[in-house]
Amino acid sequence: MGKSKTNKFRRPQFNAEGLSVTAVKEVEEDHDEVCDGVDSPAGELLEKLQSPSADMREFACASISRLVQQSQTIPGFLQRDAVRRLGPLMLDRSLAVRETATGALRNLSACGGHEVCEDMVKQDVMTPLTALLRECCAGFETNDALSLKGQKNTVEDVANEAVNLLWNLCESSSQALSMFNKAGILDVILQCLERHTHNIKLALSAAHCLHTVTEDNAELLCSMNNAVLGTLERVLLSSQADMAHTLLRTLAAGSVWNLKSSLPTARQAQTLNALMATLSQCLELDAGTLIPQLRQAEVARSATASEAGDMEDHQAAAGNMAVEEMDEEEGVGPRTNRKATKIDKDFSDLLPRGKEELREATALLTAQQTSLEIIVNMCCSDDPSDDEWEEASSSDESEMCPDGLSEGNTSLLSPLCLSAEVHGALINHNIPEKVLKKTQFPSSEAMDICRHNPTWKMLMKKMHRVQYRALTCLHNMLSTMDAESLGGAAALQAVAQHLSTLVFSAPEIPKEEEFLEAVTSAMRSLLQIIAYMKIPQCMTPQQLMSLSEAATCCDVVSVRVNALAILGITGSTLAKEKRTAETLQMIGNALLKVATKDANLVVCGEALDALFDVFADGDEAERAAENINLLSALKALQPVFKAKIRKEGKGKYSPEQLCVLDNIKVNLRRFIGYLEAVVKKMTAA
């Protein structure tokens, strides 16, 4: 109803990657079901945590780590106070026990979801976790010596599990995030990040965590200083060309954007340029070319491997099985507020040694998805209004933030002040052009390679996810950037042709919900601009009707709303042209059908809003309205619509939605009055 809103992405909750522990299979084979008795797997394993033998404690932790990846086992562990029993083992005298205990809690937090994370925080898991992180960082110097000696469990391995557990908790629990802020462990995460030159795995975990904790965290902004920003800038300016470092730089760019209001004035332009250059370089990479090359390199390396490769193949088979099992669970999570919550999983920890090429491919696609999400948020118009921002920024912030970052250094990187600078930087780095390229369907060659290889198969969803994010990014840019900065009328027509090809080139319109949500949002924004600028467009009303028919069958409310808005925009444009009454009748009937039959009031309201736009004025619209008996249909619908708002409104819809629905209810009454006046005029004539 009205102009389409821009989308904003939040960091996805980190999901289980697990620990590859073959010994756990013995436990799983002996206990196929979780029972409530004393001798259940949970009870037995938790008892073993108290064993005087470090090997037995490690075995128990590793077994729990594997079992909790099956969500049905989690209640049995929670009922037996597993968090309080595992917590002290994070500070066990054995590094191996520390690592597996922290890994078990990490998997519990990832597989248990938000409620389990909240419960873990209430059981004070943050206290031993904070102590562990500090001890790890203090032990980094001795860790290097241990690594050289070939010790299996090192301090950095423990730190990696701890950082991932912290990431999960802070993503899911506001209390954990608040404790993170108060505990002052930001410096610990930065120390882990700084070790990227020789431990990229730990650095990536730290970068993911930092990207999460810096998002919408005003309290943390007060901890920002030049050292923090300097660390992030050094990562941005690193030169390693591998995909893992590409992902690392992308995550650092996301953190810098989250912390933009803390940047000193003197460093803003330089940092913004480094940030944009990072995103631009990432999007410039062609996954369609690189993935086949990486797979070819993997095959060549395997072919020349020695007999040790047989053992590697055995490990790979176990890893492949775990990846395949978890990949089946990847998808779209429960919808809240009619918007899909994306569940993105990174299985890189599950991959056995010898899968470096697959790790690189995974890092590439994750980096590109993250880059696009950052740009989506840059172009998000859900910021405070000018007046609200001026009121907020007029307060004295110098009392709140240390190191002089606010006092004497006005934050020009605010949504209000930076808009023109951000848009300029986007254009200077050719970001719109690169985003448009990413909206294409994934390379058929890369998809075929992944489809026929069990381990690489998980990349297919990731390639599609990059396309979906690019379409959402295009939608936000169309909604917030002026037409000239996007290339003018010719460029907009080319975008329309491209979107038309994406949607209408196949015999049937794609039915994937995430694709439909993204592409209809982009088309809606584009058609609004084209209609406003009176630019001819390539999509026919019949094509848009077929899209609407496909979209109105979709369960996602936003897809149905977008399709109706597209019909409204198309119809209102046609109403100004000659000999369009027949097409307007077709559009009107489609909108009336949705307005009377859709179970969701927001969708019904959008259909009515579109009807108001299409039949608001013009001889063709008046003729079409008469032919479909629009007046009598709306009169019959009016009391039903009012009753549904009164009956369902407060329980199912937000105050903002109810306000819009009330406005539509008023507009419906007025529009009926307008149609009655039109009928009288036509009768008199």
Side-chain angles (χ1 to χ4, degrees):
M1 288 163 267
K3 187 175 180 181
S4 60
K5 294 182 69 175
T6 52
N7 295 324
K8 183 174 183 180
F9 279 107
R10 298 185 181 277
R11 298 307 312 143
Q13 181 182 354
F14 189 76
N15 286 268
E17 295 179 342
L19 296 168
S20 181
V21 184
T22 55
V24 182
K25 285 212 168 216
E26 300 171 16
V27 179
E28 292 176 338
E29 289 168 0
D30 291 341
H31 304 281
D32 291 333
E33 297 180 0
V34 178
C35 58
D36 294 328
V38 177
D39 295 328
S40 70
E44 290 180 11
L45 291 171
L46 291 171
E47 286 299 318
K48 287 183 172 67
L49 294 178
Q50 310 304 317
S51 170
S53 166
D55 288 343
M56 183 57 70
R57 296 197 301 276
E58 180 187 358
F59 168 80
C61 290
S63 301
I64 293 169
S65 179
R66 182 60 179 256
L67 280 176
V68 295
Q69 292 183 39
Q70 304 170 40
S71 58
Q72 70 270 22
T73 69
I74 291 176
F77 282 101
L78 294 179
Q79 289 163 11
R80 292 169 176 80
D81 217 15
V83 176
R84 292 189 187 277
R85 293 193 189 190
L86 283 165
L89 295 184
M90 286 195 284
L91 299 171
D92 194 275
R93 59 183 177 274
S94 163
L95 276 180
V97 174
R98 287 188 177 200
E99 182 180 355
T100 49
T102 310
L105 288 166
R106 167 189 175 182
N107 283 359
L108 184 63
S109 67
C111 298
H114 294 275
E115 290 184 6
V116 170
C117 287
E118 291 283 4
D119 188 55
M120 292 174 72
V121 174
K122 288 176 183 175
Q123 294 187 50
D124 199 29
V125 74
M126 289 290 288
T127 297
L129 177 58
T130 301
L132 173 62
L133 284 164
R134 292 198 180 284
E135 284 192 22
C136 285
C137 286
F140 279 161
E141 290 74 14
T142 57
N143 177 78
D144 297 333
L146 292 173
S147 298
L148 290 173
K149 292 178 181 178
Q151 182 163 325
K152 183 180 176 182
N153 301 94
T154 66
V155 173
E156 287 189 349
D157 294 330
V158 179
N160 185 60
E161 294 296 329
V163 170
N164 276 289
L165 173 57
L166 179 66
W167 174 15
N168 292 353
L169 295 173
C170 290
E171 172 62 36
S172 297
S173 167
S174 58
Q175 186 180 354
L177 187 61
S178 177
M179 294 174 74
F180 172 90
N181 295 337
K182 291 179 171 60
I185 50 177
L186 176 63
D187 59 320
V188 173
I189 301 302
L190 291 172
Q191 285 183 58
C192 295
L193 182 61
E194 287 172 336
R195 300 185 73 78
H196 67 90
T197 53
H198 68 278
N199 191 334
I200 188 62
K201 181 179 176 182
L202 174 60
L204 278 174
S205 297
H208 276 295
C209 184
L210 187 63
H211 193 197
T212 294
V213 299
T214 54
E215 184 172 25
D216 297 329
N217 189 351
E219 187 178 357
L220 188 65
L221 290 178
C222 300
S223 304
M224 290 303 105
N225 53 46
N226 291 333
V228 175
L229 299 170
T231 298
L232 288 169
E233 287 177 351
R234 285 192 294 276
V235 172
L236 283 181
L237 298 173
S238 62
S239 57
Q240 292 90 337
D242 58 278
M243 294 303 106
H245 274 87
T246 297
L247 174 56
L248 185 75
R249 286 189 289 271
T250 302
L251 292 166
S255 296
V256 169
W257 180 254
N258 291 341
L259 300 171
K260 58 188 177 292
S261 60
S262 294
L263 286 173
T265 305
R267 293 164 65 175
Q268 286 180 6
Q270 177 185 356
T271 303
L272 178 61
N273 185 64
L275 187 158
M276 288 295 183
T278 295
L279 302 181
S280 177
Q281 290 162 10
C282 177
L283 294 178
E284 201 166 321
L285 297 170
D286 182 9
T289 300
L290 289 171
I291 287 177
Q293 289 176 355
L294 288 166
R295 173 59 184 152
Q296 188 176 9
E298 182 184 65
V299 171
R301 181 176 50 77
S302 299
T304 57
S306 63
E307 292 181 359
D310 293 337
M311 178 59 71
E312 180 181 298
D313 291 341
H314 177 72
Q315 293 174 337
N320 292 352
M321 185 181 299
V323 170
E324 287 182 60
E325 288 173 359
M326 298 190 69
D327 186 50
E328 290 175 2
E329 300 173 8
E330 183 178 3
V332 180
R335 289 186 174 83
T336 55
N337 298 326
R338 290 152 302 283
K339 184 172 180 181
T341 302
K342 307 300 183 300
I343 298 177
D344 297 320
K345 297 186 178 182
D346 181 355
F347 305 111
S348 55
D349 279 8
L350 266 178
L351 298 174
R353 280 190 294 269
K355 290 291 180 182
E356 288 80 7
E357 294 85 1
L358 180 53
R359 293 179 198 275
E360 285 281 281
T362 304
L364 165 63
L365 295 174
T366 305
Q368 293 194 333
Q369 177 182 328
T370 304
S371 293
L372 291 163
E373 290 173 358
I374 293 167
I375 299 167
V376 164
N377 292 347
M378 285 180 175
C379 299
C380 181
S381 60
D382 290 338
D383 294 311
S385 68
D386 291 5
D387 291 340
E388 290 171 335
W389 183 262
E390 287 170 6
E391 181 180 346
S393 61
S394 65
S395 62
D396 182 8
E397 297 177 351
S398 61
E399 296 178 4
M400 297 189 294
C401 298
D403 298 322
L405 290 181
S406 292
E407 187 174 1
N409 288 295
T410 305
S411 295
L412 295 181
L413 281 172
S414 67
L416 175 66
C417 301
L418 183 66
S419 180
E421 294 181 42
V422 170
H423 290 174
L426 289 168
I427 300 301
N428 290 340
H429 288 275
N430 297 319
I431 297 293
E433 178 183 340
K434 292 172 183 178
V435 167
L436 189 62
K437 285 184 179 179
K438 296 303 177 191
T439 64
Q440 297 173 352
F441 286 114
S443 156
S444 57
E445 181 185 2
M447 291 290 283
D448 285 342
I449 286 172
C450 296
R451 186 178 293 110
H452 295 109
N453 188 284
T455 316
W456 290 63
K457 194 173 182 179
M458 66 174 184
L459 297 185
M460 294 174 67
K461 289 181 180 178
K462 294 181 181 296
M463 283 188 272
H464 279 300
R465 188 67 47 79
V466 169
Q467 182 199 22
Y468 304 154
R469 293 296 189 269
L471 285 165
T472 302
C473 196
L474 177 63
H475 157 62
N476 275 24
M477 289 194 297
L478 288 167
S479 299
T480 56
M481 299 176 73
D482 62 272
E484 287 307 313
S485 66
L486 292 169
L492 292 173
Q493 284 179 311
V495 173
Q497 181 63 57
H498 172 64
L499 293 179
S500 176
T501 302
L502 287 181
V503 176
F504 303 116
S505 59
E508 290 186 1
I509 291 173
K511 294 182 173 60
E512 166 60 41
E513 291 180 349
E514 207 173 337
F515 171 78
L516 282 175
E517 183 172 22
V519 79
T520 55
S521 294
M523 289 178 71
R524 177 179 181 176
S525 296
L526 178 63
L527 291 174
Q528 283 174 330
I529 297 174
I530 284 177
Y532 176 76
M533 296 181 66
K534 297 182 173 59
I535 300 171
Q537 60 102 349
C538 59
M539 288 175 267
T540 66
Q542 289 72 24
Q543 284 179 322
L544 296 174
M545 281 294 300
S546 66
L547 173 62
S548 175
E549 289 172 6
T552 51
C553 297
C554 181
D555 290 335
V556 182
V557 169
S558 61
V559 173
R560 307 206 297 276
V561 166
N562 284 336
L564 295 168
I566 287 170
L567 283 186
I569 296 164
T570 304
S572 62
T573 301
L574 290 172
K576 299 177 178 67
E577 301 175 7
K578 300 294 184 182
R579 294 183 292 279
T580 57
E582 187 176 340
T583 304
L584 293 176
Q585 288 173 217
M586 180 174 62
I587 292 173
N589 280 324
L591 293 173
L592 271 175
K593 181 180 177 181
V594 175
T596 54
K597 293 187 176 181
D598 200 289
N600 188 286
L601 277 175
V602 171
V603 178
C604 295
E606 186 67 49
L608 288 170
D609 211 33
L611 281 167
F612 304 157
D613 289 339
V614 174
F615 296 97
D617 191 25
D619 294 339
E620 297 293 323
E622 291 177 1
R623 192 176 301 113
E626 182 183 18
N627 291 342
I628 64 173
N629 297 314
L630 182 60
L631 177 58
S632 57
L634 291 180
K635 280 186 173 180
L637 175 61
Q638 186 181 25
V640 177
F641 186 66
K642 290 171 65 176
K644 286 180 74 174
I645 293 176
R646 187 169 56 251
K647 183 179 179 181
E648 303 174 13
K650 292 184 179 179
K652 293 176 63 176
Y653 302 97
S654 69
E656 293 79 9
Q657 289 171 326
L658 286 175
C659 181
V660 174
L661 288 170
D662 281 336
N663 285 336
I664 290 174
K665 182 176 66 176
V666 172
N667 289 339
L668 175 58
R669 176 173 52 80
R670 292 173 178 170
F671 190 68
I672 288 173
Y674 160 74
L675 289 178
E676 288 175 335
V678 169
V679 169
K680 286 182 181 178
K681 182 187 75 172
M682 294 177 71
T683 303

